[in-house]
């Protein structure tokens, strides 16, 4: 009986200790995701009534993605979510680019809708066109781009 | 008992008879005390479990008016539905959104308001709020809490776990006591003996049905244990760490995190950063809208009835999860809140073999895997367990002498020690059982052994 005591204790305590928490890299033992990431490049300043070049660099597992099924820039003004400008982007050898027009001053949303290799991401930015009014500043606060009162039909 | 004793005296070898009788008594003693202590708990588990099995039907009845809406062709976007809830309950945090899964079903928005969580039912066709339910007051939640933790939080959870572990002891020792000592005997083993007097019948009405449902009972205990707080949690963690359980975040372990994109702003000279606005608004990325999340959910063919958990922290993720009636349809998907990128997409097929077993065990335990038949079998099990518990108490009550508990005497020789050793091993596998054993021994050593009257009463 005695010769089992020490190994028994060791095994028992190993089991108990390993049960304390889930290893932080335990997820590597299961299905691994291959998420896309996007680096969106927007102009430094946007003036009203201007057409701007929008660019996005798409990556997967730290490598450039050049075979995206579709890359679109969707642009709308915060107070007019039903008027969405859709610009199809094309690959220029390193990035996907498209042009979009910004008519008025105010806050715009720029949603980059990327479909590639079975993955779909849609990073969204808020940008200001020209000077911001106080009202615009206030509406910038909660950074959520929910399209309220937007009705769709099934 | 007399029956078995008579049979055993026929045995030629006197020594082995004494030993097997000793063993029988030792096991009987364990069965006796475990049964006595855990009878009320097992009865509670059987009754609450039997009710909880029919949760879908009962809730459909109870909340019919909240669940159902008139069919219309028009739909309101998910974010507009959530907005309607926010407008009605301005102080609330929106935690979850569960889309309507068919045209006659309302959608559900989970909110927390002043330390309570509520489910708000919204008509997806017009965004009108149908009504709200306080989650903690839902009948089925209360029954579940009773079943899982006796409505007593962690302490209750441990007691239920203890009862479940001891139920295994009861099943195993019971099977030993039931085991036919004579070959080719059916009566008293597989069918009760009705013509051998009331004492025999009372024994058979406990032992025979118990044999019939013992496998199912063991199954319910074993499938229930993985969700227990102490043993279950440790078991799940070991399984997850070994790569054979649920992937992390489904039961134990944390979810992946969203990459907080604000930091990018500093080294990128464009976008919001150049604006003269308070730094808190200079988030380059904004949260992906709930509408886009629902689109992604559809694209990934997640099973209907899924819930979206909305991130509450900057590093949080959107989590889509569905624990469907059938284990094979389960899914847990984590999405980066700023880009919608899939950080993890775990389906049943991605579970390790132990995770698959646990998941199937859960849906079978809950009676959802095979629909109504599954519920019915579960109900029969619950009735059976209640019956065995009651017939066991009845058996004890009938045999109990007036002056003591009627426990079998501690047998002489090694038998008790062998059984005790086996139970101790069991106590190591299930630490709560071990802990309860230590407490019983302390009680025995410091109290019972020192008070002759108590000692006599318990036949110690």
């Amino acid at each position: 009986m005695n010769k089992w005591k020490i190994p028994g204790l060791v095994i028992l305590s190993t089991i108990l200790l390993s049960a304390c928490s889930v290893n932080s890299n335990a997820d590597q033992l299961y299905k691994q995701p291959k998420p896309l990431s996007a680096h969106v490049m927007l102009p430094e300043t946007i003036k009203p009534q201007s057409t701007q070049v929008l660019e996005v660099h798409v990556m997967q597992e730290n490598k450039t993605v050049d075979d995206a099924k579709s890359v679109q820039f969707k642009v709308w003004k915060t107070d007019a979510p039903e008027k969405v400008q859709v610009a199809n982007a094309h690959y220029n050898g390193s990035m996907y680019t498209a042009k979009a027009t910004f008519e008025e001053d105010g806050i715009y949303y720029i949603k980059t809708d990327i479909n590639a290799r079975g993955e779909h991401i849609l990073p969204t930015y808020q940008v200001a066109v020209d000077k911001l009014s106080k009202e615009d500043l206030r509406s910038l606060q909660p950074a959520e781009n929910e399209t309220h009162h937007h009705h769709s039909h099934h | 008992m007399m029956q078995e004793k008579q049979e055993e005296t026929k045995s030629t070898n006197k020594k082995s008879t004494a030993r097997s009788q000793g063993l029988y008594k030792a096991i009987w003693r364990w069965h006796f005390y475990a049964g006595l202590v855990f009878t009320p708990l097992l009865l509670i588990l059987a009754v609450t479990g039997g009710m909880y099995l029919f949760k879908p039907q009962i809730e459909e009845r109870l909340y019919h008016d909240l669940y159902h809406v008139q069919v219309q062709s028009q739909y309101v976007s998910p974010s507009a539905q959530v907005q309607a809830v926010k407008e009605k309950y301005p102080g609330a945090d929106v935690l979850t959104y569960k889309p309507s899964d068919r045209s006659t079903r309302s959608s559900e928005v989970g909110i927390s308001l002043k330390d309570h969580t509520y489910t708000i039912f919204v008509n997806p066709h017009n965004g009108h709020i149908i009504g709200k339910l306080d989650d903690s007051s839902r009948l089925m939640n209360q029954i579940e809490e009773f079943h899982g933790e006796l409505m007593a939080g962690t302490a209750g959870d441990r007691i239920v776990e203890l009862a479940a572990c001891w139920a295994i002891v009861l099943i195993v020792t019971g099977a030993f006591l039931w085991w036919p000592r004579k070959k080719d005997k059916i009566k008293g083993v597989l069918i009760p003996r009705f013509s051998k007097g009331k004492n025999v019948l009372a024994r058979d009405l406990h032992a025979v049905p118990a044999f019939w449902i013992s496998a199912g009972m063991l199954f319910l205990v074993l499938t229930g244990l993985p969700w227990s707080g102490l043993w279950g949690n440790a078991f799940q963690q070991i399984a997850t760490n070994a790569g054979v359980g649920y992937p992390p975040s489904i039961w134990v372990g944390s979810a992946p995190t969203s990459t907080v994109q604000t930091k990018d702003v500093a080294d990128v000279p464009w976008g919001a950063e150049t604006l003269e606005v308070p730094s808190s608004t200079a988030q380059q990325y904004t949260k992906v809208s709930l509408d886009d999340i629902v689109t992604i959910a559809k694209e990934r063919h997640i099973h209907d009835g899924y819930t979206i958990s909305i991130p509450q922290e900057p590093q949080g993720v959107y989590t889509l999860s569905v624990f469907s009636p059938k284990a094979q349809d389960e899914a847990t998907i984590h999405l980066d809140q700023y880009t919608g990128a899939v950080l993890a997409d775990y389906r049943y097929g991605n579970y390790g073999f132990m995770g698959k077993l646990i998941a199937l065990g859960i849906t079978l335990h809950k009676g959802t895997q095979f629909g109504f038949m599954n519920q019915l079998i579960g109900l029969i099990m619950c009735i059976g367990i209640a019956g065995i518990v009651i017939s066991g108490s009845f058996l004890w009550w009938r045999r109990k002498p007036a002056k003591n508990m009627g426990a079998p005497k501690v047998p002489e020789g090694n038998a008790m020690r062998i059984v005790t050793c086996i139970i101790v091993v069991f106590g190591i596998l299930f630490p709560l059982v071990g802990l309860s054993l230590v407490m019983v021994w302390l009680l025995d050593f410091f109290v019972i052994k020192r008070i002759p009257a108590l000692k006599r009463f318990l036949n110690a």
Side-chain angles (χ1 to χ4, degrees):
Chain A
M1 201 69 174
N2 251 341
K3 66 174 177 182
W4 288 106
K5 262 186 187 165
I6 303 293
L9 272 177
V10 170
I11 292 168
L12 191 71
S13 51
T14 318
I15 290 173
L16 287 178
L17 283 177
S18 67
C20 281
S21 65
V22 172
N23 299 336
S24 55
N25 50 3
D27 60 318
Q28 285 163 20
L29 299 167
Y30 301 88
K31 187 189 166 199
Q32 289 291 293
K34 288 184 179 172
L36 297 176
S37 64
H39 201 141
V40 182
M41 278 154 241
L42 302 174
E44 213 165 316
T45 51
I46 302 174
K47 290 263 174 257
Q49 287 164 346
S50 67
T51 298
Q52 301 288 339
V53 176
L54 308 173
E55 295 176 310
V56 59
H57 183 211
V58 185
M59 308 236 286
Q60 188 182 38
E61 295 180 309
N62 288 324
K63 285 187 193 117
T64 300
V65 170
D66 54 8
D67 57 355
K69 210 169 114 197
S70 84
V71 176
Q72 291 179 326
F73 288 98
K74 292 176 180 171
V75 179
W76 70 92
K77 231 183 140 213
T78 311
D79 50 14
E82 66 285 339
K83 281 203 322 206
V84 180
Q85 186 188 158
V86 180
N88 286 310
H90 299 283
Y91 193 64
N92 69 359
S94 62
M95 282 190 278
Y96 291 88
T97 68
K99 281 177 184 166
T101 311
F102 298 83
E103 296 286 352
E104 305 161 42
D105 56 346
I107 294 169
Y108 278 81
Y109 281 108
I110 302 176
K111 179 156 89 184
T112 320
D113 202 323
I114 302 162
N115 275 290
R117 301 175 184 176
E119 300 287 319
H120 183 192
I121 59 170
L122 16 81
T124 308
Y125 293 77
Q126 271 188 320
V127 295
V129 174
D130 210 22
K131 280 255 164 68
L132 288 179
S133 66
K134 273 200 175 147
E135 212 171 281
D136 286 337
L137 272 178
R138 220 173 294 123
S139 77
L140 247 178
Q141 298 282 353
E144 279 185 63
N145 60 341
E146 279 151 347
T147 49
H148 303 143
H149 316 297
H150 178 76
H151 294 252
S152 65
H153 295 266
H154 279 231
Chain B
M1 261 315 289
M2 288 303 286
Q3 186 87 2
E4 271 96 350
K5 271 184 191 163
Q6 276 165 16
E7 283 155 20
E8 275 153 4
T9 45
K10 284 174 192 162
S11 173
T12 44
N13 193 332
K14 251 188 167 180
K15 219 177 176 181
S16 82
T17 306
R19 193 187 292 162
S20 75
Q21 268 198 14
L23 191 65
Y24 188 93
K25 272 190 182 166
I27 288 176
W28 183 16
R29 197 173 156 81
W30 277 105
H31 190 78
F32 179 89
Y33 275 114
L36 214 56
V37 172
F38 292 103
T39 284
L41 286 168
L42 294 176
L43 196 60
I44 288 174
L45 289 180
V47 172
T48 52
M51 289 160 82
Y52 195 72
L53 276 171
F54 293 90
K55 179 186 176 181
Q57 287 94 333
I58 294 172
E59 292 213 310
E60 176 63 40
R61 265 287 168 85
L62 285 177
Y63 310 128
H64 186 273
D65 294 345
L66 293 170
Y67 281 0
H68 294 276
V69 295
Q70 289 268 315
V71 184
Q72 286 173 43
S73 60
Q74 197 185 42
Y75 278 85
V76 174
S77 74
S79 58
Q81 294 175 36
V82 168
Q83 186 59 28
V85 172
K86 278 182 180 163
E87 275 162 20
K88 176 126 188 208
Y89 305 99
D93 290 322
V94 177
L95 307 177
T96 61
Y97 172 72
K98 185 180 171 189
S100 143
D101 56 6
R102 52 183 190 276
S103 55
T104 56
R105 181 65 159 83
S106 56
S107 31
E108 299 177 18
V109 179
I111 62 166
S112 83
L113 190 62
K114 291 174 192 153
D115 296 334
H116 270 258
T117 59
Y118 299 90
T119 304
I120 315 294
F121 295 86
V122 185
N123 185 331
H125 302 295
N126 55 23
H128 291 166
I129 290 168
I130 305 167
K132 83 169 176 182
L133 277 179
D134 182 341
D135 290 339
S136 62
S137 71
R138 285 171 87 146
L139 177 68
M140 281 299 130
N141 291 17
Q142 287 177 333
I143 287 178
E144 186 186 11
E145 222 177 290
F146 214 147
H147 188 76
E149 47 185 50
L150 308 170
M151 296 209 147
T154 311
D157 175 85
R158 300 297 184 268
I159 294 171
V160 169
E161 182 178 328
L162 190 64
C165 295
W166 275 100
I168 300 176
V169 176
L170 280 167
I171 293 166
V172 174
T173 52
F176 180 88
L177 298 176
W178 163 88
W179 198 264
R181 301 291 181 283
K182 214 175 169 186
K183 276 177 187 167
D184 308 323
K185 206 175 74 167
I186 294 175
K187 285 185 175 168
V189 175
L190 298 180
I191 48 170
R193 294 160 292 185
F194 288 99
S195 53
K196 293 254 174 153
K198 282 185 177 169
N199 284 337
V200 171
L201 184 63
R203 178 262 175 203
D204 283 4
L205 284 182
H206 176 66
V208 174
F211 157 71
W212 282 111
I213 69 154
S214 57
M217 221 160 102
L218 192 62
F219 180 82
L220 286 179
V221 171
L222 291 179
T223 52
L225 267 177
W227 7 349
S228 64
L230 192 77
W231 189 90
N233 218 37
F235 178 71
Q236 296 269 15
Q237 284 174 347
I238 292 168
T240 297
N241 278 343
V244 296
Y246 283 108
S249 83
I250 297 180
W251 200 284
V252 287
S254 47
T257 53
S258 293
T259 314
V260 181
Q261 308 281 359
T262 36
K263 273 193 178 164
D264 292 353
V265 177
D267 47 60
V268 183
W270 43 63
E273 204 254 352
T274 52
L275 303 168
E276 291 178 45
V277 292
S279 60
S280 65
T281 65
Q283 278 198 332
Q284 196 170 17
Y285 282 80
T286 64
K287 217 164 155 180
V288 172
S289 78
L290 196 57
D291 307 332
D292 288 334
I293 296 295
V294 170
T295 308
I296 292 173
K298 277 182 198 150
E299 286 168 359
R300 300 198 77 89
H301 305 291
I302 187 166
H303 195 266
D304 277 341
Y306 68 93
T307 299
I308 301 170
S309 301
I310 296 162
Q312 306 293 316
E313 304 290 332
Q315 301 90 344
V317 289
Y318 279 106
T319 299
L320 316 174
S321 61
V322 54
F323 291 94
S324 44
K326 286 185 173 49
Q328 293 88 332
D329 300 327
E330 284 178 11
T332 304
I333 303 176
H334 299 295
L335 304 171
D336 188 301
Q337 65 164 310
Y338 304 106
T339 66
V342 177
L343 302 177
D345 181 347
Y346 299 129
R347 312 292 169 115
Y348 176 80
N350 307 124
Y351 299 175
F353 79 95
M354 190 56 84
K356 283 179 183 160
L357 277 181
I358 297 169
L360 264 174
I362 287 174
T363 51
L364 285 165
H365 188 111
K366 284 166 85 175
T368 58
Q369 183 72 26
F370 295 115
F372 187 64
M373 270 315 285
N374 199 163
Q375 288 179 315
L376 211 57
I377 292 169
L379 183 65
I380 291 169
M381 281 297 148
C382 289
I383 294 172
I385 292 169
I388 291 165
V389 166
I390 292 168
S391 67
S393 326
F394 177 69
L395 189 59
W396 165 68
W397 195 249
R398 266 189 74 91
R399 290 170 169 183
K400 183 184 162 327
K403 288 195 175 165
N404 64 37
M405 292 287 283
K409 273 212 178 77
V410 181
E412 282 163 26
N414 275 333
M416 199 66 194
R417 246 171 265 157
I418 295 167
V419 177
T420 307
C421 269
I422 295 170
I423 303 247
V424 165
V425 170
F426 193 78
I428 292 169
L429 276 177
F430 296 95
L432 270 186
V433 173
L435 194 67
S436 67
L437 283 173
V438 169
M439 281 164 74
V440 169
W441 267 316
L442 290 177
L443 193 72
D444 181 58
F445 189 79
F446 287 109
V447 184
I448 299 169
K449 286 259 163 74
R450 277 142 219 259
I451 303 171
L454 205 58
K455 199 177 163 195
R456 235 173 294 127
F457 182 69
L458 296 169
N459 225 344

